[in-house]
Amino acid sequence: MTEFFPDVEPIRFAGPDATDEMVFRRYERDRMVDDKPMCEHLRFASAYWHTMRNPLSDPFGVGTAQMPWDDGSDSIDNACRRARAFFEFLEKCGIDHYCFHDRDVAPEGDGVVASERNLDAVVEVLAEEQARTGANLLWGTACLFTHPRYVHGASTSCLVDVFAHAGAQVRKAMDVTHALGGAGYVFWGGREGYSSLLNTDMKRELDHLARFLHMAVEYKHQIGFKGAFYIEPKPKEPTTHQYDSDAAACLNFLREHDLLEHFSLNIETNHAELAGHAMRHELQVSRMAGALGSIDANIGTPNLGWDTDCFPGNLYLATEVMLEVLAMGGFTTGGLNFDAKRRRESFEPRDLFHAHILGMDTFAAGLEAAAAIIAEGSIDAFISERYASWDSELGRRIESGEATLSDLHAHASSIGEPAVVSGRQERLESIFNRFIRG
Ligand code: XUL
Ligand code: CO
């Protein structure tokens, strides 16, 4: 059998003090953290579009990525070879899951039927490789943003024929996700938004988006797909304004259109940052609504204003993410998908391994830190204590809806000025920092 990464041995755990470059220092897949091994807590996935299809170009320069297994053609043979290379990569990295767009794995053909035929041919290889390696599909999706027909959007296009094409594509992408036993299916509205309100009927576009998602739910039931449906918020890029701008906007939209019971959210760090929120904020907003489904794990570049999709190497942030994941009781269908690309300067195949090792070790450390913070308990205890006055009779009556404004008036008049206490933020940050270790 051909080896696509002949210079790389399977990555093994070598312990925190190891200095070798191609080992895990923190990620030990079977190591128990509380009730589960690390691999089950973290459910790592690699993104096909970045790992296999990203040429590492930028607006000023051509792609630099070296991909010796890829002849650069749009042939099915090439697509199948690429799929085999991908699974060797997953195996050597010890990554159990992956995610793809339909057009990442197979080329678009001339018309719907030809495109579906292309996809089926590569899906056969994906199924074979899943069976050979034991890797699973975390989620599938349809690419509704690259082809010029989607220039005005897909389900929010001004053209009904484009809406129909988008529907056909999603139908097929759901079919193959289902056939591959996918745990989920993502809707990311890459061009579901606008560049200018001067030419946009926003109300009509939003109603169409809701109709589209209802059709997807109906089809899901029709084919018996049991995986989760996720919406992935992002405020901008490629459009000026995207309708799924952040977690709160998505939740409101889903509620308004009677879709909330069918969807949860796939939260991406760099998208949260573009929306002007902390990642933890987006995760917590989703979790409070019982709608935290999955995570696209990457980070932005704080002093830049676009989606840099860097591999996550920030221990502090990974700890915050894992605190939210543990707080919801862990992933069910979701996981940590590295929706991340190497820098253009990191163009050798082995850089794919360096990048994923960075992300996996960072999140393993984040998981351990988060579990330790919860076990130590002083931050949670501080929060409970901070709100302890709400455990009084007055607090109970307010929270249960019994108290009126007149009750508050009577109470406030009888007590004088309330004593306020410090929020102790800096002390809490010091406690948090005690647990961070790379
Ligand atoms: C784009 C992005 C997408 C989605 C899937 O910013 O995050 O790759 O994750 O379509
Ligand atoms: Co993403």
Side-chain angles (χ1 to χ4, degrees), residues 217-233:
V217 170
E218 279 158 27
Y219 191 67
K220 176 185 182 186
H221 292 143
Q222 193 183 319
I223 62 174
F225 175 55
K226 297 280 184 286
F229 267 4
Y230 309 116
I231 303 274
E232 183 176 323

Side-chain angles (χ1 to χ4, degrees), residues 49-50 101 139 186 188 232-234 266-268 271 296-298 307 309 337 339:
W49 54 99
H50 284 309
H101 301 83
W139 49 260
V186 160
W188 172 59
E232 183 176 323
K234 184 176 182 181
N266 180 40
I267 301 295
E268 176 165 329
H271 297 179
D296 271 7
N298 60 16
D307 197 8
D309 279 348
N337 169 44
D339 191 352

Side-chain angles (χ1 to χ4, degrees), residues 142-162:
C143 175
L144 301 178
F145 43 89
T146 300
H147 194 283
R149 84 170 66 87
Y150 297 124
V151 61
H152 301 300
S155 67
T156 62
S157 173
C158 45
L159 301 169
V160 69
D161 287 349
V162 173

Side-chain angles (χ1 to χ4, degrees), residues 76 79-80 105-106 115-126:
I76 300 298
C80 293
V105 292
S115 295
E116 294 191 346
R117 208 181 308 119
N118 289 351
L119 188 52
D120 285 336
V122 185
V123 164
E124 251 180 62
V125 176
L126 297 176

